[in-house]
Amino acid sequence: MNVLVINCGSSSLKYQVIDSETEEVLAKGLCERIGIDGILNYKPQGGEKEVTKADMPTHKQAIQLVLDALVNPKTGVLKSLAEIGAVGHRVVHGGEKFASSTILTEEVLKVIEECNDLAPLHNPANLIGIRACQELMPNVPMVGVFDTAFHQTMPEKAYMYGIPYEYYDKYKVRKYGFHGTSHSFVSKKVAELVGKPYEELKTIVCHLGNGASVCAVDCGKSVDTSMGLTPLEGLIMGTRCGDIDPSVLEFIAKKENLDITGVMNILNKKSGLLGMSDGIGSDFRDIREAAYAGNKKATDAMDAFAYRVAKYVGAYAAAMNGVDVIAFTAGIGENASALRSQICQYFGYLGVTIDEEANNDNKDYMTISTPDSKVKVMVVATNEELAICRETVALL
Ligand code: ADP
């Protein structure tokens, strides 16, 4: 079955068509600047990437352009849209309502809508994408795969905040965690690669991308993760501050004469590597380049980034009373070998030793610890689209 995987944001939309039997990507791309002017990126398997300016005032029009590209007689990969057997949608927040992926019925969409408050930037956009696909492909089954679902196994002691209970009671304020599709995919792949049952392994997954989070996976279940009610908690990220004393908000608000929205904007969009480096950039490669060129703020930002990851790994090793595998994934985790090495220097007490030659290699799946290392350290490329495709097929 061919599965169309859709990841819909407020002004962009990523898509892939995956053949679920061979798990090959038949085509993939991105619609950008939806509602502004519109750019369609389309790349068929084995073909050249096409970038076309195309009017897309709404998401429906953007998806229509994607579907047209997929069946284009010259460069399309499908003979007709009937070859799309299902659509898998990434949905950011499922609140406490969704502990697993689900078929998108009208009732389910209403429940997702109820979670909009928890992810006001993401969920409404996800829903727009789902509705648009339903209109254009009314007879094709649709599945929602939630970023939060994998973490619904966390125990209360991990997800409750130290604030009055009434806020949980009234508004469900708690830790939810994100990147669940990736943490689940990577931790399963780790078990497969080390040849041990998933249910017997303690894994810590470090998903280090522009957004970044760490997850403790104990015997196949997420038992803790660094992101919280929103993706702002936890690690230092591209533009997000991660953990911070909440009093800093009040302090900055008063000093800079900002309201809560103004301060939140700073913590979400102007902090992290971007803010700490005094504006060099949010992209790790820019920070690394500046650090190597001797820029102290960039070096400090990189050190703080690595230190925060190491602290979370330490915390989760304690939470699980041990760890078998530490896995790095996502843009930074998969590619920044020197940073991996820097992070792993904090793990001497765990008996971790890194094989620097292996660490400098560049493979989708590799072990970078020495054979006698007490904890295995691996690089495992994440693939959220494939995970969504698998979930979709499994449900149908
Ligand atoms: P997201 O999906 O959250 O946008 P990604 O997983 O694509 O994030 O990761 C983006 C990050 O990965 C950026 O900070 C980028 O600099 C970093 N990155 C990508 N390629 C490399 C590389 N070869 N070396 C170091 N960092 C890289």
Side-chain angles (χ1 to χ4, degrees):
M1 183 203 297
N2 294 323
V3 178
L4 173 62
V5 176
I6 298 276
N7 180 355
C8 191
S10 56
S11 68
S12 69
L13 182 151
K14 285 188 207 152
Y15 65 92
Q16 285 195 5
V17 178
I18 302 175
D19 177 337
S20 67
E21 269 109 72
T22 61
E23 300 200 329
E24 277 177 73
V25 178
L26 303 183
K28 65 177 177 180
L30 168 72
C31 297
E32 291 172 286
R33 299 177 63 86
I34 302 171
I36 307 166
D37 37 28
I39 301 169
L40 173 71
N41 287 266
Y42 170 76
K43 189 184 177 307
Q45 187 183 31
E48 290 290 309
K49 179 173 157 184
E50 296 167 14
V51 182
T52 330
K53 280 197 171 169
D55 258 1
M56 41 182 95
T58 65
H59 286 77
K60 190 173 165 190
Q61 275 142 319
I63 293 167
Q64 182 66 62
L65 288 166
V66 172
L67 299 179
D68 291 347
L70 291 173
V71 296
N72 180 305
K74 278 198 198 128
T75 50
V77 292
L78 307 175
K79 287 199 193 73
S80 83
L81 292 182
E83 290 180 23
I84 296 177
V87 184
H89 292 270
R90 175 189 181 215
V91 183
V92 168
H93 218 307
E96 285 187 329
K97 306 275 165 81
F98 299 101
S100 58
S101 306
T102 179
I103 294 179
L104 295 169
T105 60
E106 207 39 53
E107 292 86 71
V108 167
L109 291 187
K110 286 209 184 86
V111 181
I112 296 176
E113 225 168 292
E114 287 165 21
C115 301
N116 277 3
D117 267 3
L118 294 168
L121 296 180
H122 296 102
N123 268 32
N126 300 155
L127 280 164
I128 289 172
I130 295 167
R131 297 263 185 223
C133 284
Q134 283 179 327
E135 282 176 39
L136 294 167
M137 293 171 274
N139 299 317
V140 180
M142 315 253 157
V143 168
V145 180
F146 301 89
D147 270 20
T148 48
F150 182 61
H151 303 300
Q152 279 296 303
T153 46
M154 282 189 290
E156 278 89 343
K157 64 184 176 190
Y159 72 66
M160 289 301 283
Y161 288 126
I163 57 173
Y165 188 83
E166 62 173 298
Y167 301 126
Y168 173 67
D169 219 19
K170 286 200 275 194
Y171 313 120
K172 296 284 171 242
V173 173
R174 49 161 284 181
K175 179 187 277 282
Y176 289 96
F178 298 86
H179 291 141
T181 314
S182 175
H183 288 302
S184 161
F185 179 89
V186 170
S187 54
K188 280 190 190 118
K189 190 79 201 174
V190 161
E192 191 186 312
L193 291 167
V194 301
K196 288 214 176 115
Y198 191 39
E199 298 72 28
E200 287 174 18
L201 216 54
K202 295 176 182 186
T203 304
I204 298 175
V205 181
C206 306
H207 177 111
L208 310 179
N210 193 28
S213 69
V214 182
C215 179
V217 186
D218 194 359
C219 301
K221 291 194 171 120
S222 167
V223 292
D224 208 343
T225 190
S226 58
M227 283 178 168
L229 173 77
T230 74
L232 187 55
E233 191 181 343
L235 300 180
I236 291 170
M237 307 178 215
T239 63
R240 297 188 193 118
C241 61
D243 295 339
I244 194 170
D245 177 351
S247 303
V248 172
L249 278 78
E250 187 199 18
F251 192 89
I252 294 176
K254 281 189 179 155
K255 292 279 185 203
E256 297 276 315
N257 199 19
L258 288 168
D259 61 8
I260 190 77
T261 312
V263 181
M264 292 314 292
N265 189 45
I266 287 174
L267 300 187
N268 270 302
K269 304 217 172 113
K270 303 206 164 134
S271 299
L273 295 175
L274 173 68
M276 292 181 79
S277 67
D278 214 4
I280 290 171
S282 61
D283 192 291
F284 181 78
R285 288 165 289 198
D286 297 336
I287 299 294
R288 185 175 59 185
E289 199 184 308
Y292 288 173
N295 184 298
K296 178 162 182 337
K297 285 176 189 144
T299 308
D300 290 347
M302 230 165 71
D303 288 351
F305 182 97
Y307 178 63
R308 183 78 58 91
V309 176
K311 282 210 293 186
Y312 264 99
V313 170
Y316 291 165
M320 295 194 288
N321 194 15
V323 52
D324 299 311
V325 181
I326 299 167
F328 288 96
T329 193
I332 301 172
E334 289 167 31
N335 296 297
S337 56
L339 183 87
R340 285 196 301 258
S341 178
Q342 187 180 349
I343 293 169
C344 289
Q345 277 168 17
Y346 289 97
F347 304 150
Y349 73 100
L350 287 172
V352 167
T353 44
I354 295 298
D355 174 344
E356 288 303 339
E357 204 176 306
N359 183 39
N360 283 327
D361 211 346
N362 192 1
K363 291 197 201 111
D364 278 356
Y365 310 121
M366 56 188 195
T367 298
I368 60 168
S369 50
T370 57
D372 61 349
S373 177
K374 296 233 165 54
V375 177
K376 222 181 208 347
V377 184
M378 305 179 79
V379 174
V380 176
T382 192
N383 191 338
E384 287 166 284
E385 289 79 13
L386 179 58
I388 292 174
C389 168
R390 285 180 185 166
E391 287 277 308
T392 302
V393 173
L395 257 177
L396 296 172

